[in-house]
Amino acid sequence: MRKTYLALAAAGLILASCQKDNEPSAQLPPTAPRSAMTLLGTIDASAPESRTHLDEEAGGGGNSSLVKWDLYDAVALYMTGAFDRRVQELADSVAQGLQPSIQFVTPEFYVVKSAESIDNTTATFTGTSAVTPLASDTYVAVYPYRSVSTDAWQIGRTHIRMTLPEQQSHPFLFKDLGMMIAKTPDSGSEQVRLSFKNIFPILKFSLTGSRTLAAIRFRGNDGEPVAGDFRLDISGDAYMEADFSESTVEEVSLTCGVQLSATPQTFYMVVPPQTYAKGYTIDFVADDGSVMTQVVNKDTPKTLLRSKIYEYPTLAFTPQSTAEAACDWLWQDETGVVSNVGFDELPGAVDLGAAANCFIVSAPGNYKFKAVKGDGSAVDGVDGYVYFTAGAAKGNAVIAALVNRQVAWSWHIWRTDAPAEKEAAAGCTILDRNLGATSVTPGDVSSYGLYYQWGRKDPFVGAKDTGKDAPIGGASETAAFGTQTAAYEKNTIDQTAYAFDVIGNDDNTIIDCVAYAVQHPTTFIKYVASVGNSGVSTWFNSDLSNFSDLWGAVSGRKSVYDPCPAGYKVPVDSAEAWGGFAKADVTSSAGSFGVTLNEAFYPCSGWRDVSGMLKQVGTYAKAASATAPTNQANILQIMYYKATAAATTYTTMFSNSGKSFIAGGIPVRCVKE
């Protein structure tokens, strides 16, 4: 009999659980004696985090935890050929008049490690098999060991059935709630490599506080199944994809019973990998019944991927009813654009009217606006009005409401003369200036305005000067918010300085990129990598299709993230807003650093690239639209430049269907609703 060695290469994180099998039916025909087998399990050097014991001290890089093999870890090994032979035995017994009942018998393989294996990179599994493996067998291995039930032999041939508990417990134990699966054909050699795929994502929370945390509850906002029975189809290549379609469990709970303190306590929860159509909600429940709720991607899709830890920033447990709210400015073009910001009433404050994410202020004085989101919906933990004083200086400022020292929502104050209305395409009324511009004078850098990453409501600071109109590259930066960026005043609130900075879209601290953008309005989310099909050169960290309506292109309505003032919105599509125009309609003159189209001035303010650096300042005029059919959004794009500084003639190029990568930041020209 062949002694088989299996090299087990584990890849990813180990999560989830499975059900124990029944003993073999007494009606089955006798089986062959069990045969001794040995599996040699080697951890891939390329996946050092793929182990079975959570080691908090061994962390590094993006995640603070490593997972290692432990003594007496066990895996279950299945051989499809062995199953086929058992089925044949069943067929023979049926022919003899016995009842057609079968249970799939699984051997156990335990890890045995010597003291020298301290790095846990190699483990030897020993066990017995009820059948002799054949060269034609396909091996399926599961960690941790559970005998896996099959409710009928037809299902057992192609599926493994398991259960993700709806009631989980702290501290988190991979022995109780871990799972990875491997599948490979027998190569006929003495050593077969099994590469494990991890089935589930894990949520990692760190909390501080003074209460005793009783439980953490998780639920999808669209009623998705989040625990209970699932199955794996081991007949094809998608054998690691858990199918919860038969489950009706809509909430999973982690029992904690931990006294919180100033030192962060860490908790783990396992949930299904899937797209949560309307995001998901997490409740942190204290033993006195008080609750702190975190909503991720409210009413927009959020995808959790298998084999990944989603690590939340440290949260201070504060029940919703006692949440501490504050209000202040984060940044402004110069001191005095806004002052006296807060929830306290100011005398004679003028109400700025309808809900929006941007408010135009055309004269000095005291003002107020309702502290709600751009679509009028409530901001969690915030109520009432925001008050501020507008100074004589024109410019821009961003005001934020903070709950428990974290930005809950923010609003752009646009201190400028009342913008006039102009016409773009027939029937399309636009403002006469870029969003954030305080001038429409050609050659004036104040006409350039601010820059917006596609789909985000908060602006990024503009250029310090008009740049260069030759050659086509204009003036550009070599670092984000560098030498071409205008000076501004930043505020420091509770030791957090709200300066413009950048973070990679693949950073592990970003769980929900849209929520992160709201909470960090001065942070440019630069493109580093495509994460979960997020696409090249986007600021997203999950499937690109989840974000198509951020600016209302799909619904056709002004969205909650629209950056325009009340009564205006981002154009749905640049091809429509500026339809019917051509290069011949564009006029300009030397030194204007911009062009005129149908009596409206468009400054060559350039753009911020996917890393946040200003590019082509002085040669490119751009305007965003809400439509992004791919990883690039449709934009208005006009170029006006000289080939060289000494040239006396300018080149003009025009497109109402230009393209701009989603992670880039470009100007916005608002259209009337």
Side-chain angles (χ1 to χ4, degrees):
M1 178 177 303
R2 180 167 67 124
K3 179 177 284 187
T4 304
Y5 296 88
L6 300 183
L8 306 181
L13 303 165
I14 302 94
L15 315 168
S17 79
C18 38
Q19 293 258 351
K20 185 171 178 62
D21 200 356
N22 296 322
E23 294 302 316
S25 168
Q27 297 173 320
L28 287 179
T31 61
R34 290 178 175 265
S35 306
M37 294 183 67
T38 300
L39 316 179
L40 181 63
T42 302
I43 300 296
D44 240 350
S46 62
E49 298 169 0
S50 305
R51 315 292 170 80
T52 65
H53 163 72
L54 189 63
D55 184 353
E56 293 284 1
E57 301 301 322
N63 289 327
S64 60
S65 308
L66 295 178
V67 187
K68 301 179 179 180
W69 287 119
D70 261 352
L71 188 63
Y72 303 122
D73 277 343
V75 299
L77 182 71
Y78 307 88
M79 292 165 282
T80 56
F83 187 87
D84 290 340
R85 292 190 291 283
R86 295 299 304 280
V87 171
Q88 182 57 54
E89 292 172 353
L90 173 64
D92 293 342
S93 65
V94 171
Q96 299 169 19
L98 299 178
Q99 292 295 318
S101 175
I102 187 169
Q103 296 292 337
F104 194 9
V105 179
T106 304
E108 299 180 29
F109 293 87
Y110 293 98
V111 176
V112 178
K113 295 199 299 285
S114 66
E116 289 75 24
S117 300
I118 195 65
D119 61 353
N120 297 333
T121 59
T122 302
T124 301
F125 293 77
T126 60
T128 58
S129 172
V131 295
T132 302
L134 302 177
S136 60
D137 278 343
T138 293
Y139 294 94
V140 177
V142 176
Y143 172 86
Y145 171 79
R146 301 285 193 279
S147 297
V148 179
S149 67
T150 55
D151 56 7
W153 67 266
Q154 294 92 343
I155 295 177
R157 179 65 181 85
T158 59
H159 293 86
I160 296 176
R161 286 185 173 273
M162 306 172 190
T163 298
L164 176 62
E166 60 185 287
Q167 188 65 55
Q168 302 172 20
S169 299
H170 175 81
F172 181 84
L173 297 176
F174 281 90
K175 299 294 183 296
D176 297 331
L177 201 62
M179 182 173 179
M180 56 184 178
I181 187 168
K183 177 184 175 183
T184 187
D186 188 342
S187 64
S189 65
E190 285 296 303
Q191 190 174 80
V192 179
R193 179 172 294 276
L194 283 169
S195 179
F196 279 87
K197 309 292 184 184
N198 299 293
I199 306 304
F200 291 97
I202 186 171
L203 306 182
K204 179 179 179 180
F205 308 103
S206 297
L207 279 87
T208 61
S210 59
R211 287 174 166 82
T212 297
L213 185 67
I216 301 175
R217 300 191 299 246
F218 175 95
R219 60 187 178 277
N221 295 335
D222 200 34
E224 294 91 349
V226 295
D229 293 340
F230 69 94
R231 66 179 190 172
L232 301 172
D233 183 348
I234 61 174
S235 65
D237 294 334
Y239 57 91
M240 75 295 293
E241 297 180 6
D243 178 5
F244 280 83
S245 60
E246 298 178 8
S247 173
T248 59
V249 179
E250 296 183 1
E251 183 173 278
V252 60
S253 179
L254 176 70
T255 301
C256 302
V258 174
Q259 175 63 52
L260 299 178
S261 67
T263 302
Q265 299 282 336
T266 302
F267 304 89
Y268 298 91
M269 175 179 282
V270 176
V271 298
Q274 61 181 321
T275 295
Y276 294 84
K278 296 182 180 179
Y280 54 82
T281 296
I282 304 159
D283 292 329
F284 302 91
V285 184
D287 62 349
D288 61 3
S290 58
V291 179
M292 180 176 74
T293 298
Q294 296 282 311
V295 180
V296 177
N297 275 45
K298 183 178 181 181
D299 296 327
T300 59
K302 172 63 178 176
T303 300
L304 296 180
L305 304 175
R306 64 175 185 81
S307 190
K308 183 173 180 180
I309 285 181
Y310 291 86
E311 183 172 354
Y312 280 74
T314 299
L315 300 171
F317 182 88
T318 306
Q320 306 305 110
S321 59
T322 60
E324 180 185 350
C327 186
D328 209 338
W329 62 272
L330 303 183
W331 70 272
Q332 50 187 319
D333 285 337
E334 60 180 275
T335 302
V337 174
V338 296
S339 60
N340 301 322
V341 178
F343 294 124
D344 295 332
E345 187 173 351
L346 293 175
V350 176
D351 194 333
L352 291 173
N357 293 318
C358 171
F359 295 97
I360 298 171
V361 176
S362 299
N366 292 335
Y367 294 88
K368 67 177 182 179
F369 59 87
K370 186 70 173 173
V372 295
K373 298 178 182 180
D375 63 352
S377 58
V379 177
D380 290 341
V382 178
D383 195 11
Y385 282 85
V386 172
Y387 292 83
F388 68 95
T389 299
K394 296 178 182 178
N396 298 277
V398 168
I399 289 173
L402 300 94
V403 176
N404 301 328
R405 301 181 180 182
Q406 184 177 73
V407 173
W409 202 259
S410 53
W411 301 268
H412 170 207
I413 305 303
W414 187 9
R415 174 70 178 87
T416 184
D417 295 333
E421 293 182 343
K422 298 290 184 179
E423 187 176 14
C428 182
T429 300
I430 63 171
L431 292 181
D432 67 347
R433 64 196 67 193
N434 285 347
L435 189 50
T438 59
S439 168
V440 292
T441 302
D444 183 355
V445 70
S446 298
S447 69
Y448 279 19
L450 304 171
Y451 304 89
Y452 293 79
Q453 284 191 287
W454 185 91
R456 295 185 66 173
K457 67 182 179 64
D458 293 296
F460 293 94
V461 66
K464 72 174 184 179
D465 57 40
T466 53
K468 298 187 297 185
D469 59 4
I472 191 172
S476 298
E477 293 179 331
T478 57
F481 304 104
T483 57
Q484 194 61 38
T485 295
Y488 64 95
E489 296 291 326
K490 68 178 183 292
N491 200 5
T492 298
I493 305 171
D494 292 323
Q495 300 183 337
T496 298
Y498 289 91
F500 289 103
D501 60 359
V502 297
I503 190 173
N505 72 310
D506 64 341
D507 195 286
N508 286 329
T509 61
I510 302 178
I511 307 302
D512 173 348
C513 61
V514 175
Y516 185 93
V518 170
Q519 294 165 358
H520 300 82
T522 60
T523 299
F524 191 99
I525 305 176
K526 70 177 182 178
Y527 169 76
V528 174
S530 180
V531 182
N533 298 318
S534 63
V536 175
S537 296
T538 77
W539 55 272
F540 307 139
N541 66 348
S542 61
D543 196 286
L544 178 64
S545 63
N546 295 338
F547 306 99
S548 57
D549 204 34
L550 281 180
W551 271 354
V554 177
S555 67
R557 300 187 300 271
K558 184 174 182 177
S559 81
V560 66
Y561 304 110
D562 191 291
C564 292
Y568 299 87
K569 67 178 183 178
V570 176
V572 171
D573 196 331
S574 58
E576 296 176 359
W578 291 277
F581 294 114
K583 184 174 73 170
D585 300 308
V586 176
T587 61
S588 191
S589 60
S592 64
F593 290 94
V595 299
T596 298
L597 178 65
N598 203 28
E599 300 184 359
F601 181 67
Y602 296 84
C604 290
S605 48
W607 61 300
R608 291 193 179 275
D609 70 6
V610 299
S611 295
M613 295 182 286
L614 278 174
K615 299 293 183 181
Q616 298 171 314
V617 178
T619 59
Y620 267 71
K622 297 173 182 276
S625 86
T627 297
T630 63
N631 62 330
Q632 297 184 77
N634 296 350
I635 66 168
L636 171 69
Q637 182 165 277
I638 308 173
M639 288 171 275
Y640 184 72
Y641 66 95
K642 295 186 296 184
T644 66
T648 58
T649 59
Y650 286 78
T651 298
T652 302
M653 300 179 70
F654 170 87
S655 176
N656 60 12
S657 56
K659 300 294 181 183
S660 178
F661 285 119
I662 283 173
I666 69 172
V668 168
R669 186 64 67 100
C670 300
V671 302
K672 196 168 186 176
E673 289 190 86

